[in-house]
Structure formats: structure tokens, C-alpha cells
Amino acid sequence: MKETIEIAKEVLKNNRRSGYTLPTNNKLYPAQWNWDSAFIALGYSYFNIDYAIKELETLLTGQWNDGMVPHILFHDNDESYFPNHKTWECGNKIPSSGITQPPIIATIVKNIVDQNKLDQGQMKRMETIIKKLKKYLDWFYNYRDTNKIGLVSIIHPWESGLDNSPIWDSPLDKVKIEENLKYERRDLNVSKSENRPLKKDYDAYITLLNQFKKNKYNPNKIVNESMFNVIDIGFNSIVIRATKDLIKVAKKFNLNFSDLENKITLSEESLIKFYKNEEQSFFSYDFKNHSLIKVDAISNYFILFADLENKEINNKIISKLKKYNSQKEYFFTTVNPKDKTFEETRYWRGPVWINSNWIIYQGLINKDKNFSELLKNKTLELLENKKFHEYYNFKNGDCLGANNFSWSAALYLDLKFN
Ligand code: GLC
């Protein structure tokens, strides 16, 4: 039997197109996605560093002039996905979506640089990537931190990468769905409807998209007028970590990003205010409707990845995480099974996802070595038994969603070799 390592490499190589890699080759996602590509680059770095760098370069070719890196780049005219380039009608150099995704790329670039001996040419390419990432993070602070508190807003659930997480339920309920909305979903042709978002979610997703398009994707306008505006804990944790990691890796290239340093102190001070003693948890904030979103989802624990300078709170979060569902064979579920919004097999409302385990693992390494090892070994075991799928059932490890899923394969390689 082929070794899992070899299968992981094959999944990535088979999903590779010219200079970028699809999230899966089963037609569900026929384009390049922002955070998928970052995870994928990390996977390549274990067997083909040029593929890794190329993946990142291709993604950044689609960067907008204002600095935003879109959540999807449509490299060819494939129209089997909805919404495709014809719906979005935007992009710089490459047709793209008009929103972004978590900037996990900065942490991944730091990891790749730290772990590899790059030659001069590769260092030069990395330097260009790092400068583009500075522009990307500046874009977040310039356009999405509207209160200047060091925390950014997301204006569409797709920006979170956790499309139908129950965190978005109450903000989405308040979105006024466009009248006579017409569109045709394509995801249900290649995936089971009981594992995918509902029609009412899609109606809101497309209503929001149409509003951004009407505003010609003007970065100030779309934030100010969006019917959805959430200060999300998971997303901000990734942004803070990205800021810290970009500053560190830039130093290796003699680049000085000290203006970003001021952001960190402010961001941490602001973020801590979303910690609620009673529940021993962080909760996201519906900025549009001024209310806290009390859902016990795994992305609230991404706060560990932010590496806050607050040992007491970090320890409380870890002890709460130990009771979340780590007693079970397969963890972590994307939502706590005890939360009323939990759904065992529906996408981001319950199943286990490998990237979310990876983010938590990265957050635990320097805080609770034993617990981090347990998580790593359980995740490796799941992947060795079931191979590379999009998400998994927490009770029996059943494979859900797409197969040959790139980031599951890429992060397997990272967990295995680290
Ligand atoms: C879905 C996921 C998102 C991912 C994309 C491609 O939209 O929610 O996180 O980036 O698919 O895999």
C-alpha cells in the first residue's frame, strides 16, 4: 500500500494547474482560492519549493491596486462554478471575486522561510512576496478597521472562510434579501445538499454580492453600506498573527515594517474586551446590529493562534478547549456538539476540518505541548485512516464533501514533518 505521504503529494500534483492549484479536482471549486493556496504552498514546500513560491506568486498577481488580495481568482473562463467571473465582474490582471479571505498567507510565508534554505533567486522572489503582503495587511488596517481600534470587519461570510458557520446566522437574518433574486447554484450538482449551506444562506450571500457590485467595489463604500459587518474573533486572530509574523520574517530581508508594530498593541487591547468571564470565552461581535454572537464555535479558540500576551486568559481558553470535544475520537468539531446550532454533517456547522485543527495546533505549540501533540497525532491518525477529504464526521470519521482535497493533503505534510 502506498504511503500516505506519497498520496498527499499526488493529490497536490494532480490538482495543480498552470502556476496554481485547485482546492479539489472534483469540479466543486474550479479556481484559485486565497487561503487554500497558502496552505497548499506550505505543503509543496516539503517537496518542491519552486511550486510553493509559484503558488504564492500567482495568487499575488491578482492583488488589487488598493492592496486587497481577492478570495478567488478565476484563471480561466470556467463557468461551472457559481458565482463565477461573470457574476462578480471585477479583478485586476486576473478576473476575481471582490472580497478577501483570512490572510493566513503571512504566517505561512514566515514558516516556509524559516524552515528552508532558499537560494538567492528564491530569496529575491520571497522578498517581492513579502512587500506585497505588507500592502495587503495595510489594506486591512486602512479599509476594514473603520473605528481605528486595530480590529477589522468582515462584510461577507465568505470572507471568513467558514461560509455557513452559525456565527453568521443572526447577522444574516437581518440582511434584507433582494427582491426577485435570480441565480443558479452549481455546488449541489457535485455535492450533497445535506452537507452544504441552505437556500436562505445563499440568498443572503448573493444579495450582499450584488450590493458590492452596485457600489463598484469601492473599498470605503462597501464597508460603510454593507448589511453585514462582523468583527470576528477567528478572523482577527489570524490578522494579528499575520501582522506579527510578517514583521518577523521581513527582518530577515532587512525590511523594516515598524509601523505595523503599533497595530499589535492596539489590536490586543481591543480584542481582550471581547473576552467574557462568565462563559470563559471570546465571542465575535455583530458590529452592524451591535450585539455579541454567543455561539461556541471552534474559530473563537483561534485566539490561541493570535498569541496574546496574556497567560491567564490563554490558560482559561485552553482549559475550556479541553472540555469542548477532545474527549471524542475525532476532534475538533467546528461547533461544540452541545451548542444548539450544531449540525453533525453540514459543512462549517459541525464537521471536523483539517485547517481549523492546524490553526489551533499552531496556537497550542508554545502554550501546552502535550495537548498540542495529542491534537497533532489525532489529526494525523484521521488523515492516515481516511485520506484527504474536505471535512469529516466527528463520530465515525466518515468522509464528507469533496475528496482529493488539497489543504488536507498539504497540512498533513506539514504536521507529519514538523
Ligand atoms: C469553501 C470554504 C472556504 C474555501 C473554499 C475553497 O468556500 O468555505 O474556506 O476556501 O471553499 O476550498
PDB file of all heavy atoms in Angstrom, residues 127-147:
ATOM      1  N   GLU A 127      11.172  38.069  -1.247  1.00  0.00           N
ATOM      2  CA  GLU A 127      11.170  39.483  -0.838  1.00  0.00           C
ATOM      3  C   GLU A 127      10.027  40.237  -1.538  1.00  0.00           C
ATOM      4  O   GLU A 127       9.302  41.026  -0.915  1.00  0.00           O
ATOM      5  CB  GLU A 127      12.525  40.123  -1.166  1.00  0.00           C
ATOM      6  CG  GLU A 127      12.625  41.526  -0.638  1.00  0.00           C
ATOM      7  CD  GLU A 127      14.011  42.150  -0.838  1.00  0.00           C
ATOM      8  OE1 GLU A 127      15.006  41.412  -1.037  1.00  0.00           O
ATOM      9  OE2 GLU A 127      14.073  43.384  -0.807  1.00  0.00           O
ATOM     10  N   THR A 128       9.862  39.957  -2.817  1.00  0.00           N
ATOM     11  CA  THR A 128       8.756  40.600  -3.554  1.00  0.00           C
ATOM     12  C   THR A 128       7.412  40.190  -2.947  1.00  0.00           C
ATOM     13  O   THR A 128       6.512  41.015  -2.768  1.00  0.00           O
ATOM     14  CB  THR A 128       8.816  40.175  -5.047  1.00  0.00           C
ATOM     15  OG1 THR A 128      10.144  40.437  -5.507  1.00  0.00           O
ATOM     16  CG2 THR A 128       7.822  40.918  -5.888  1.00  0.00           C
ATOM     17  N   ILE A 129       7.290  38.926  -2.608  1.00  0.00           N
ATOM     18  CA  ILE A 129       6.042  38.438  -1.989  1.00  0.00           C
ATOM     19  C   ILE A 129       5.788  39.189  -0.679  1.00  0.00           C
ATOM     20  O   ILE A 129       4.683  39.662  -0.399  1.00  0.00           O
ATOM     21  CB  ILE A 129       6.140  36.906  -1.746  1.00  0.00           C
ATOM     22  CG1 ILE A 129       6.074  36.174  -3.094  1.00  0.00           C
ATOM     23  CG2 ILE A 129       5.062  36.422  -0.790  1.00  0.00           C
ATOM     24  CD1 ILE A 129       6.324  34.680  -3.031  1.00  0.00           C
ATOM     25  N   ILE A 130       6.829  39.326   0.132  1.00  0.00           N
ATOM     26  CA  ILE A 130       6.682  39.966   1.448  1.00  0.00           C
ATOM     27  C   ILE A 130       6.253  41.431   1.306  1.00  0.00           C
ATOM     28  O   ILE A 130       5.409  41.920   2.061  1.00  0.00           O
ATOM     29  CB  ILE A 130       7.993  39.801   2.255  1.00  0.00           C
ATOM     30  CG1 ILE A 130       8.105  38.329   2.680  1.00  0.00           C
ATOM     31  CG2 ILE A 130       8.036  40.722   3.467  1.00  0.00           C
ATOM     32  CD1 ILE A 130       9.454  37.935   3.203  1.00  0.00           C
ATOM     33  N   LYS A 131       6.793  42.105   0.299  1.00  0.00           N
ATOM     34  CA  LYS A 131       6.386  43.509   0.086  1.00  0.00           C
ATOM     35  C   LYS A 131       4.911  43.593  -0.312  1.00  0.00           C
ATOM     36  O   LYS A 131       4.191  44.494   0.106  1.00  0.00           O
ATOM     37  CB  LYS A 131       7.262  44.159  -0.987  1.00  0.00           C
ATOM     38  CG  LYS A 131       8.684  44.426  -0.490  1.00  0.00           C
ATOM     39  CD  LYS A 131       9.517  45.070  -1.588  1.00  0.00           C
ATOM     40  CE  LYS A 131      10.933  45.347  -1.092  1.00  0.00           C
ATOM     41  NZ  LYS A 131      11.875  45.456  -2.221  1.00  0.00           N
ATOM     42  N   LYS A 132       4.478  42.633  -1.098  1.00  0.00           N
ATOM     43  CA  LYS A 132       3.059  42.625  -1.481  1.00  0.00           C
ATOM     44  C   LYS A 132       2.173  42.316  -0.269  1.00  0.00           C
ATOM     45  O   LYS A 132       1.059  42.823  -0.149  1.00  0.00           O
ATOM     46  CB  LYS A 132       2.809  41.614  -2.594  1.00  0.00           C
ATOM     47  CG  LYS A 132       3.447  42.031  -3.910  1.00  0.00           C
ATOM     48  CD  LYS A 132       3.069  41.101  -5.044  1.00  0.00           C
ATOM     49  CE  LYS A 132       3.621  41.631  -6.355  1.00  0.00           C
ATOM     50  NZ  LYS A 132       3.235  40.830  -7.510  1.00  0.00           N
ATOM     51  N   LEU A 133       2.687  41.486   0.611  1.00  0.00           N
ATOM     52  CA  LEU A 133       1.897  41.152   1.808  1.00  0.00           C
ATOM     53  C   LEU A 133       1.786  42.348   2.746  1.00  0.00           C
ATOM     54  O   LEU A 133       0.786  42.526   3.438  1.00  0.00           O
ATOM     55  CB  LEU A 133       2.499  39.945   2.544  1.00  0.00           C
ATOM     56  CG  LEU A 133       2.414  38.628   1.773  1.00  0.00           C
ATOM     57  CD1 LEU A 133       2.979  37.479   2.617  1.00  0.00           C
ATOM     58  CD2 LEU A 133       0.972  38.308   1.371  1.00  0.00           C
ATOM     59  N   LYS A 134       2.824  43.175   2.754  1.00  0.00           N
ATOM     60  CA  LYS A 134       2.751  44.399   3.570  1.00  0.00           C
ATOM     61  C   LYS A 134       1.590  45.263   3.060  1.00  0.00           C
ATOM     62  O   LYS A 134       0.772  45.783   3.821  1.00  0.00           O
ATOM     63  CB  LYS A 134       4.086  45.143   3.488  1.00  0.00           C
ATOM     64  CG  LYS A 134       4.069  46.558   4.038  1.00  0.00           C
ATOM     65  CD  LYS A 134       3.953  46.561   5.548  1.00  0.00           C
ATOM     66  CE  LYS A 134       4.286  47.884   6.224  1.00  0.00           C
ATOM     67  NZ  LYS A 134       3.463  49.005   5.891  1.00  0.00           N
ATOM     68  N   LYS A 135       1.503  45.351   1.744  1.00  0.00           N
ATOM     69  CA  LYS A 135       0.428  46.148   1.135  1.00  0.00           C
ATOM     70  C   LYS A 135      -0.950  45.536   1.475  1.00  0.00           C
ATOM     71  O   LYS A 135      -1.936  46.253   1.688  1.00  0.00           O
ATOM     72  CB  LYS A 135       0.661  46.167  -0.382  1.00  0.00           C
ATOM     73  CG  LYS A 135       0.125  47.375  -1.066  1.00  0.00           C
ATOM     74  CD  LYS A 135       0.514  47.416  -2.547  1.00  0.00           C
ATOM     75  CE  LYS A 135      -0.530  48.241  -3.268  1.00  0.00           C
ATOM     76  NZ  LYS A 135      -0.520  48.123  -4.704  1.00  0.00           N
ATOM     77  N   TYR A 136      -0.974  44.227   1.528  1.00  0.00           N
ATOM     78  CA  TYR A 136      -2.216  43.504   1.852  1.00  0.00           C
ATOM     79  C   TYR A 136      -2.651  43.812   3.296  1.00  0.00           C
ATOM     80  O   TYR A 136      -3.792  44.176   3.557  1.00  0.00           O
ATOM     81  CB  TYR A 136      -1.973  42.011   1.644  1.00  0.00           C
ATOM     82  CG  TYR A 136      -3.160  41.073   1.812  1.00  0.00           C
ATOM     83  CD1 TYR A 136      -4.477  41.486   1.620  1.00  0.00           C
ATOM     84  CD2 TYR A 136      -2.940  39.719   2.123  1.00  0.00           C
ATOM     85  CE1 TYR A 136      -5.540  40.582   1.746  1.00  0.00           C
ATOM     86  CE2 TYR A 136      -3.990  38.818   2.241  1.00  0.00           C
ATOM     87  CZ  TYR A 136      -5.294  39.248   2.059  1.00  0.00           C
ATOM     88  OH  TYR A 136      -6.331  38.353   2.179  1.00  0.00           O
ATOM     89  N   LEU A 137      -1.709  43.705   4.223  1.00  0.00           N
ATOM     90  CA  LEU A 137      -2.071  43.979   5.623  1.00  0.00           C
ATOM     91  C   LEU A 137      -2.417  45.452   5.819  1.00  0.00           C
ATOM     92  O   LEU A 137      -3.342  45.778   6.566  1.00  0.00           O
ATOM     93  CB  LEU A 137      -0.959  43.547   6.581  1.00  0.00           C
ATOM     94  CG  LEU A 137      -0.756  42.033   6.711  1.00  0.00           C
ATOM     95  CD1 LEU A 137       0.196  41.710   7.850  1.00  0.00           C
ATOM     96  CD2 LEU A 137      -2.064  41.285   6.933  1.00  0.00           C
ATOM     97  N   ASP A 138      -1.698  46.346   5.141  1.00  0.00           N
ATOM     98  CA  ASP A 138      -2.051  47.775   5.211  1.00  0.00           C
ATOM     99  C   ASP A 138      -3.490  47.994   4.747  1.00  0.00           C
ATOM    100  O   ASP A 138      -4.225  48.796   5.314  1.00  0.00           O
ATOM    101  CB  ASP A 138      -1.119  48.623   4.322  1.00  0.00           C
ATOM    102  CG  ASP A 138       0.252  48.815   4.960  1.00  0.00           C
ATOM    103  OD1 ASP A 138       0.385  48.563   6.171  1.00  0.00           O
ATOM    104  OD2 ASP A 138       1.188  49.225   4.237  1.00  0.00           O
ATOM    105  N   TRP A 139      -3.858  47.253   3.711  1.00  0.00           N
ATOM    106  CA  TRP A 139      -5.228  47.377   3.192  1.00  0.00           C
ATOM    107  C   TRP A 139      -6.253  47.039   4.293  1.00  0.00           C
ATOM    108  O   TRP A 139      -7.244  47.757   4.470  1.00  0.00           O
ATOM    109  CB  TRP A 139      -5.422  46.452   1.979  1.00  0.00           C
ATOM    110  CG  TRP A 139      -6.834  46.400   1.497  1.00  0.00           C
ATOM    111  CD1 TRP A 139      -7.437  47.269   0.639  1.00  0.00           C
ATOM    112  CD2 TRP A 139      -7.835  45.445   1.869  1.00  0.00           C
ATOM    113  NE1 TRP A 139      -8.769  46.910   0.449  1.00  0.00           N
ATOM    114  CE2 TRP A 139      -9.032  45.804   1.196  1.00  0.00           C
ATOM    115  CE3 TRP A 139      -7.846  44.324   2.709  1.00  0.00           C
ATOM    116  CZ2 TRP A 139     -10.225  45.072   1.339  1.00  0.00           C
ATOM    117  CZ3 TRP A 139      -9.026  43.609   2.853  1.00  0.00           C
ATOM    118  CH2 TRP A 139     -10.196  43.977   2.165  1.00  0.00           C
ATOM    119  N   PHE A 140      -5.976  45.969   5.037  1.00  0.00           N
ATOM    120  CA  PHE A 140      -6.901  45.619   6.135  1.00  0.00           C
ATOM    121  C   PHE A 140      -7.031  46.779   7.113  1.00  0.00           C
ATOM    122  O   PHE A 140      -8.128  47.175   7.486  1.00  0.00           O
ATOM    123  CB  PHE A 140      -6.397  44.386   6.906  1.00  0.00           C
ATOM    124  CG  PHE A 140      -6.802  43.081   6.276  1.00  0.00           C
ATOM    125  CD1 PHE A 140      -5.871  42.255   5.678  1.00  0.00           C
ATOM    126  CD2 PHE A 140      -8.122  42.673   6.296  1.00  0.00           C
ATOM    127  CE1 PHE A 140      -6.242  41.045   5.098  1.00  0.00           C
ATOM    128  CE2 PHE A 140      -8.519  41.476   5.730  1.00  0.00           C
ATOM    129  CZ  PHE A 140      -7.571  40.656   5.132  1.00  0.00           C
ATOM    130  N   TYR A 141      -5.896  47.312   7.557  1.00  0.00           N
ATOM    131  CA  TYR A 141      -5.947  48.369   8.571  1.00  0.00           C
ATOM    132  C   TYR A 141      -6.509  49.674   8.003  1.00  0.00           C
ATOM    133  O   TYR A 141      -7.158  50.435   8.714  1.00  0.00           O
ATOM    134  CB  TYR A 141      -4.559  48.579   9.195  1.00  0.00           C
ATOM    135  CG  TYR A 141      -4.127  47.380  10.034  1.00  0.00           C
ATOM    136  CD1 TYR A 141      -3.062  46.560   9.644  1.00  0.00           C
ATOM    137  CD2 TYR A 141      -4.804  47.047  11.211  1.00  0.00           C
ATOM    138  CE1 TYR A 141      -2.676  45.452  10.399  1.00  0.00           C
ATOM    139  CE2 TYR A 141      -4.431  45.936  11.971  1.00  0.00           C
ATOM    140  CZ  TYR A 141      -3.368  45.146  11.555  1.00  0.00           C
ATOM    141  OH  TYR A 141      -3.010  44.047  12.300  1.00  0.00           O
ATOM    142  N   ASN A 142      -6.276  49.931   6.714  1.00  0.00           N
ATOM    143  CA  ASN A 142      -6.789  51.177   6.128  1.00  0.00           C
ATOM    144  C   ASN A 142      -8.289  51.138   5.873  1.00  0.00           C
ATOM    145  O   ASN A 142      -8.979  52.123   6.069  1.00  0.00           O
ATOM    146  CB  ASN A 142      -6.087  51.483   4.794  1.00  0.00           C
ATOM    147  CG  ASN A 142      -4.654  51.907   5.023  1.00  0.00           C
ATOM    148  OD1 ASN A 142      -4.310  52.366   6.109  1.00  0.00           O
ATOM    149  ND2 ASN A 142      -3.806  51.732   4.019  1.00  0.00           N
ATOM    150  N   TYR A 143      -8.763  50.006   5.374  1.00  0.00           N
ATOM    151  CA  TYR A 143     -10.153  49.985   4.925  1.00  0.00           C
ATOM    152  C   TYR A 143     -11.103  49.187   5.812  1.00  0.00           C
ATOM    153  O   TYR A 143     -12.306  49.389   5.751  1.00  0.00           O
ATOM    154  CB  TYR A 143     -10.232  49.430   3.494  1.00  0.00           C
ATOM    155  CG  TYR A 143      -9.552  50.328   2.495  1.00  0.00           C
ATOM    156  CD1 TYR A 143      -8.330  49.974   1.924  1.00  0.00           C
ATOM    157  CD2 TYR A 143     -10.130  51.544   2.132  1.00  0.00           C
ATOM    158  CE1 TYR A 143      -7.708  50.803   1.008  1.00  0.00           C
ATOM    159  CE2 TYR A 143      -9.515  52.384   1.216  1.00  0.00           C
ATOM    160  CZ  TYR A 143      -8.302  52.011   0.658  1.00  0.00           C
ATOM    161  OH  TYR A 143      -7.698  52.838  -0.243  1.00  0.00           O
ATOM    162  N   ARG A 144     -10.601  48.247   6.567  1.00  0.00           N
ATOM    163  CA  ARG A 144     -11.506  47.393   7.330  1.00  0.00           C
ATOM    164  C   ARG A 144     -11.510  47.689   8.827  1.00  0.00           C
ATOM    165  O   ARG A 144     -12.337  47.195   9.555  1.00  0.00           O
ATOM    166  CB  ARG A 144     -11.180  45.925   7.076  1.00  0.00           C
ATOM    167  CG  ARG A 144     -11.472  45.485   5.654  1.00  0.00           C
ATOM    168  CD  ARG A 144     -12.953  45.772   5.302  1.00  0.00           C
ATOM    169  NE  ARG A 144     -13.276  45.300   3.970  1.00  0.00           N
ATOM    170  CZ  ARG A 144     -13.586  44.048   3.675  1.00  0.00           C
ATOM    171  NH1 ARG A 144     -13.612  43.141   4.613  1.00  0.00           N
ATOM    172  NH2 ARG A 144     -13.891  43.714   2.444  1.00  0.00           N
ATOM    173  N   ASP A 145     -10.559  48.499   9.272  1.00  0.00           N
ATOM    174  CA  ASP A 145     -10.525  48.885  10.687  1.00  0.00           C
ATOM    175  C   ASP A 145     -11.161  50.276  10.784  1.00  0.00           C
ATOM    176  O   ASP A 145     -10.494  51.263  11.085  1.00  0.00           O
ATOM    177  CB  ASP A 145      -9.056  48.891  11.154  1.00  0.00           C
ATOM    178  CG  ASP A 145      -8.909  49.325  12.596  1.00  0.00           C
ATOM    179  OD1 ASP A 145      -9.918  49.351  13.324  1.00  0.00           O
ATOM    180  OD2 ASP A 145      -7.771  49.646  12.992  1.00  0.00           O
ATOM    181  N   THR A 146     -12.465  50.313  10.533  1.00  0.00           N
ATOM    182  CA  THR A 146     -13.114  51.625  10.377  1.00  0.00           C
ATOM    183  C   THR A 146     -13.122  52.436  11.677  1.00  0.00           C
ATOM    184  O   THR A 146     -13.215  53.651  11.647  1.00  0.00           O
ATOM    185  CB  THR A 146     -14.560  51.481   9.851  1.00  0.00           C
ATOM    186  OG1 THR A 146     -15.168  50.413  10.558  1.00  0.00           O
ATOM    187  CG2 THR A 146     -14.579  51.207   8.368  1.00  0.00           C
ATOM    188  N   ASN A 147     -13.027  51.762  12.827  1.00  0.00           N
ATOM    189  CA  ASN A 147     -13.033  52.502  14.111  1.00  0.00           C
ATOM    190  C   ASN A 147     -11.646  52.828  14.601  1.00  0.00           C
ATOM    191  O   ASN A 147     -11.490  53.365  15.685  1.00  0.00           O
ATOM    192  CB  ASN A 147     -13.678  51.645  15.194  1.00  0.00           C
ATOM    193  CG  ASN A 147     -15.027  51.209  14.780  1.00  0.00           C
ATOM    194  OD1 ASN A 147     -15.871  52.040  14.523  1.00  0.00           O
ATOM    195  ND2 ASN A 147     -15.220  49.905  14.656  1.00  0.00           N
TER     196      ASN A 147
END
